[in-house]
Amino acid sequence: MEEREFSWDDTITKDASDYIMLSEGDYNFTVDSFERGRHPGSEKLPPCNKAILTLRIEAAEGTARITHNLFLHSKTEGMLSAFFACIGQKKKGEPLKMNWGAVPGSTGRCKVGIHTYTNKDGEERRSNDIKRFYPKEDGPAFKAGEF
């Protein structure tokens, strides 16, 4: 289903909480979208461009969507390489000019973890995050419906 703006007279159908929390493990994903953003800088990383990815994972629990940031900086070049190897664009030992136009719709396999944090109201929360991207040529083999 495509995202869209609602008009004042539209009918809504989703329930309040469609959030799916996945168990830690390995999953196939599809890149639903990516947008260009800017990291303002932090203790660990200076200001730089970032790609904001939305990854869709079809699992027994339902369809989960995980937002993942890729920072375009030399400190995180290994993470960029891992992502592009995962979606089949980068080959080991070869340089790659990143083709962002081919990222939406790409597929790969990743390790999903659970991140625990405290929100601004002091409440402990949990969300899924990506721990690792597996290279396309040697990632754990898995096809939908096979276990």
Side-chain angles (χ1 to χ4, degrees):
M1 172 175 263
E2 278 193 45
E3 292 183 9
R4 66 181 180 87
E5 177 181 9
F6 287 120
S7 74
W8 292 105
D9 298 320
D10 272 343
T11 300
I12 57 175
T13 58
K14 280 190 177 181
D15 290 328
S17 181
D18 282 345
Y19 180 75
I20 304 287
M21 174 68 76
L22 297 172
S23 301
E24 290 184 336
D26 297 332
Y27 295 90
N28 290 336
F29 69 85
T30 301
V31 180
D32 270 354
S33 65
F34 108 89
E35 63 183 85
R36 296 170 193 265
R38 185 88 183 143
H39 174 63
S42 65
E43 284 183 24
K44 296 180 181 181
L45 192 65
C48 61
N49 291 323
K50 70 177 178 178
I52 306 163
L53 305 173
T54 301
L55 307 179
R56 178 175 28 93
I57 297 174
E58 303 291 341
E61 301 90 340
T63 301
R65 285 185 172 73
I66 299 174
T67 301
H68 183 75
N69 293 323
L70 289 174
F71 299 98
L72 281 69
H73 193 276
S74 58
K75 284 186 170 186
T76 61
E77 187 174 0
M79 292 179 218
L80 288 165
S81 289
F83 173 73
F84 281 100
C86 180
I87 64 171
Q89 281 195 38
K90 185 166 186 341
K91 302 296 179 211
K92 188 172 180 128
E94 296 179 12
L96 172 78
K97 180 175 179 175
M98 298 177 286
N99 182 354
W100 294 103
V103 168
S106 294
T107 61
R109 188 144 175 86
C110 64
K111 178 176 250 354
V112 171
I114 296 175
H115 172 68
T116 302
Y117 63 96
T118 303
N119 71 8
K120 64 181 179 177
D121 296 326
E123 300 168 329
E124 188 172 284
R125 299 285 187 186
R126 294 167 19 130
S127 64
N128 285 127
D129 63 357
I130 305 299
K131 298 292 187 190
R132 178 176 181 197
F133 290 108
Y134 295 109
K136 184 145 311 253
E137 62 270 8
D138 63 12
F142 177 81
K143 291 186 180 177
E146 291 182 358
F147 298 97

